[in-house]
Structure formats: structure tokens, C-alpha cells
Amino acid sequence: MTGPTEWGETPGVGPWEGPLPSGDDASRYDPQLLRDGDTRNVVDAYRYWTREAIVADIDRRRHPLHIAIENFGSDANIGTVVRTANAFAVHTVHIVGRRRWNRRGAMVTDRYQRLQHHDSTAGLLEFAAGAGLTVVAVDNVPGSVPLETTVLPRDCLLVFGQEGPGITPEASAGARMTVSIAQFGSTRSINAGVAAGIAMHAWIRTHADITAAW
């Protein structure tokens, strides 16, 4: 969804007006933001809060959904995946392969999202087994089942491959199932960042408490 950041406008609010916050909740506020205003890309409920306070509050409400993206070719979609994961309060985004990735697409949301790196897909699968997560690959390949008619597991790790080649054979072999996204046009595949958003929202529709959304 397009917002003020993409329109070229400055989002946010000016300096705090009225008496400064006090009481038990006062520690969540950042004195500099109260003085100068808050132009960060955060929802209004978090205006003037410190980054640590925001992360702590999201941690309290995170979903048991994990996302992984294989980054063996320096995929430019990782930032988009991180931004979407933050919007859905995903537990952790796992990046497999290269540590370096273009954070521009994350729009600074990586400051509030749990991130974890794995050197290899084998390391990711070992983590998932230890955490009790069901691994689900997302790729339009033979043998996949339609996401639209599949109920994703609640304690779930969705794995996405890099743009172009898709998920690696190792990730495919380690997945409990592979789901595909229905397409009706001429393109062979959709953008990996878009696919991740669709799959995350499919999980949200099934397992999230919609009344807790902003």
C-alpha cells in the first residue's frame, strides 16, 4: 500500500504539545522525539516512542509465523519481504546465504523486525526442526498444492527462493509441502516480494486475531 513516504511527503507529527507524558508509561517516550517531532514510518500508536519500546510491544504480539528467503544471488526483494513481515508482526525473517542485502526496500522497518541469518539452507532447516516449525516452500513447481485451497500450519516457516530460480532443491526436499499461487496471465512467475506478501496474508486470514489489527 502506497503511503506518504512514496509520495515524497514528510510523514509524522511535530513536537509534543501539552504536558509531557508522566507515570509508569513515561519511559516508553523518547525525549528527543517529544522535543523535535516524530517523522518515522510508524503507526500513530507508536508516535514518540523509543525504538526499544516499539520492539518490546510488537514482541508481545508477534505471530508464530516465520519467513525465510534464500539470498544466494543477492536478491533485491528481501527489503520488501522484511517490510511486509513487519506489517504482519511476523516472528522472525530468516535470511539464508549472503549476509548483505539491500535494505532500501525495508523502509527502515528492519529496525523493528526480528532478523536471523543462516549460512546455509541446511542450517535453516535444522533451526526449524529445533523450533517445532513446519516448513512450507512457496514456489510454482510441479507437485505443489494451491495456496488458495490449503490451510497453512500455525507454527509455520514459509520459505521463498530468490527471484528467477526459485527455491533450492535442498529447501524443497526439506519442506513438508510446497504451495503455489494461482496465476492466470502470461507471466511465468510473480515477483518474490509480492508472492511473500500473498502467502503471509493467507496465514493471517487463517490464524491471526483480526480484532487486534491497527
Side-chain angles (χ1 to χ4, degrees), residues 32-169:
Q32 183 175 339
L33 295 175
L34 292 171
R35 184 190 67 217
D36 301 333
D38 188 353
T39 59
R40 299 172 300 174
N41 179 26
V42 297
V43 296
D44 288 344
Y46 290 145
R47 289 298 179 198
Y48 305 108
W49 287 29
T50 66
R51 182 179 69 86
E52 293 77 13
I54 293 173
V55 172
D57 192 68
I58 298 174
D59 283 346
R60 183 176 57 83
R61 301 181 295 103
R62 287 193 193 277
H63 296 119
L65 171 64
H66 292 243
I67 301 297
I69 184 166
E70 295 181 306
N71 188 36
F72 298 112
S74 192
D75 198 308
N77 292 289
I78 294 176
T80 301
V81 174
V82 169
R83 182 179 181 180
T84 306
N86 169 267
F88 292 140
V90 163
H91 189 284
T92 303
V93 174
H94 302 263
I95 299 172
V96 184
R98 297 186 181 185
R99 286 183 177 272
R100 294 179 62 86
W101 53 279
N102 187 342
R103 296 175 183 260
R104 181 178 177 84
M107 301 299 292
V108 199
T109 56
D110 53 302
R111 295 182 181 178
Y112 310 98
Q113 176 60 51
R114 289 182 178 178
L115 303 173
Q116 186 170 342
H117 176 262
H118 304 270
D119 290 324
S120 65
T121 300
L124 172 72
L125 297 175
E126 182 179 354
F127 163 83
L133 299 173
T134 301
V135 179
V136 178
V138 182
D139 204 359
N140 283 22
V141 293
S144 61
V145 297
L147 174 64
E148 295 76 15
T149 58
T150 301
V151 176
L152 295 172
R154 184 175 184 275
D155 298 304
C156 181
L157 170 66
L158 295 176
V159 182
F160 301 88
Q162 63 191 33
E163 193 77 23
I167 63 171
T168 61

